[in-house]
Amino acid sequence: MGELAYRSLVYSHLLLFVLWLGGDVGVFVLGQHFRKRQAYSLDQRLALLKLLVAVDMGPRTAWALMVPLSLSVSAAGGWWDVPPALVAIAWAVGGAWLWLVWDAHRHDMTPRAARDRRIEGWLKYALTIFYVWLGLESVLTGHPIAVPWLAWKALLFGLIFAAAILIDWAFKPVGPQLGRLIAEGSSDATEIPLRRTMDRTRVFVLMVYVLLFVTAWLGVVKPS
């Protein structure tokens, strides 16, 4: 039963990776088409943007669940003697994070959604610090994670959090810029600043992709 539970957790972990990366690729493609002002009307591009937001809920859901599930896989596989209390806390944090993500989505453009995203931002900062510390401490000292590939995976997961925070920072001007585009229509004055912001954001998005690929490789290959 223990082996079956472990393999089921690994399978779920893999599904979350597919949902995260696959959904992110969909978001990236939709974003690329939104940028094509000569190929689509403004209404069509705004429809693509709505679809982008819907597709993005897949990666956001996977990210929230990846935190508790990764610790559960580590514990069930014997890769790290994770304290049971930490696993329980991780599931509570993951559940709260998931609720914040979907509650903000359902109440978008309201003070409630702004509050949810503000709390989610604090949560991301805390998790970034935790995973970067966990990874660095384990890589340098072999404690609390003694397995090198898992220690590096923890560190890279923390860097994924950091890159995602940079995405949020870079993306902040999009809201006002998009509002101006809708109000004033498509022109160089409204399109070029928006395009520049999206270009800056793409750098950090690609960083997340690279980190995800390397993290997944570590988890599958488990190099000594």
Side-chain angles (χ1 to χ4, degrees):
M1 183 62 182
E3 182 65 18
L4 178 61
Y6 171 65
R7 292 187 179 276
S8 297
L9 286 171
V10 171
Y11 174 71
S12 301
H13 192 60
L14 178 61
L15 283 182
L16 287 184
F17 171 74
V18 172
L19 178 63
W20 188 348
L21 186 59
D24 254 348
V25 170
V27 170
F28 185 83
V29 171
L30 288 167
Q32 289 296 100
H33 281 274
F34 172 80
R35 294 150 56 95
K36 298 179 179 179
R37 49 189 289 208
Q38 306 301 329
Y40 302 99
S41 68
L42 181 56
D43 286 342
Q44 289 173 326
R45 292 168 64 209
L46 293 176
L48 288 172
L49 200 59
K50 289 181 181 178
L51 184 58
L52 181 153
V53 171
V55 172
D56 192 42
M57 294 305 295
R60 289 179 180 273
T61 298
W63 190 13
L65 292 176
M66 193 69 84
V67 171
L69 192 58
S70 61
L71 291 181
S72 297
V73 170
S74 299
W79 300 108
W80 174 27
D81 188 18
V82 188
L86 181 59
V87 177
I89 291 172
W91 279 105
V93 169
W97 186 1
L98 191 61
W99 183 87
L100 288 169
V101 166
W102 280 96
D103 191 64
H105 179 68
R106 288 193 297 267
H107 300 90
D108 197 21
M109 306 298 291
T110 68
R112 177 170 174 167
R115 179 210 61 189
D116 288 343
R117 291 181 177 126
R118 187 165 56 252
I119 297 172
E120 183 189 359
W122 296 336
L123 190 58
K124 287 178 182 177
Y125 290 136
L127 288 170
T128 301
I129 293 170
F130 169 73
Y131 275 104
V132 170
W133 168 83
L134 177 65
L136 276 177
E137 181 72 13
S138 300
V139 167
L140 296 175
T141 69
H143 179 81
I145 301 175
V147 181
W149 65 263
L150 186 58
W152 278 103
K153 189 176 179 183
L155 176 57
L156 292 178
F157 196 40
L159 294 180
I160 288 173
F161 273 92
I165 289 172
L166 291 174
I167 290 173
D168 289 342
W169 285 351
F171 204 70
K172 276 185 178 180
V174 164
Q177 290 169 349
L178 186 60
R180 185 184 174 196
L181 172 64
I182 295 171
E184 300 178 14
S186 179
S187 67
D188 285 348
T190 56
E191 295 276 5
I192 291 177
L194 179 60
R195 176 68 177 264
R196 286 174 180 164
T197 300
M198 296 182 74
D199 286 344
R200 285 195 299 269
T201 305
R202 281 200 309 169
V203 175
F204 304 117
V205 171
L206 294 174
M207 188 185 302
V208 169
Y209 292 167
V210 172
L211 290 169
L212 274 175
F213 276 119
V214 177
T215 303
W217 180 83
L218 288 172
V220 172
V221 177
K222 298 177 176 59
S224 59

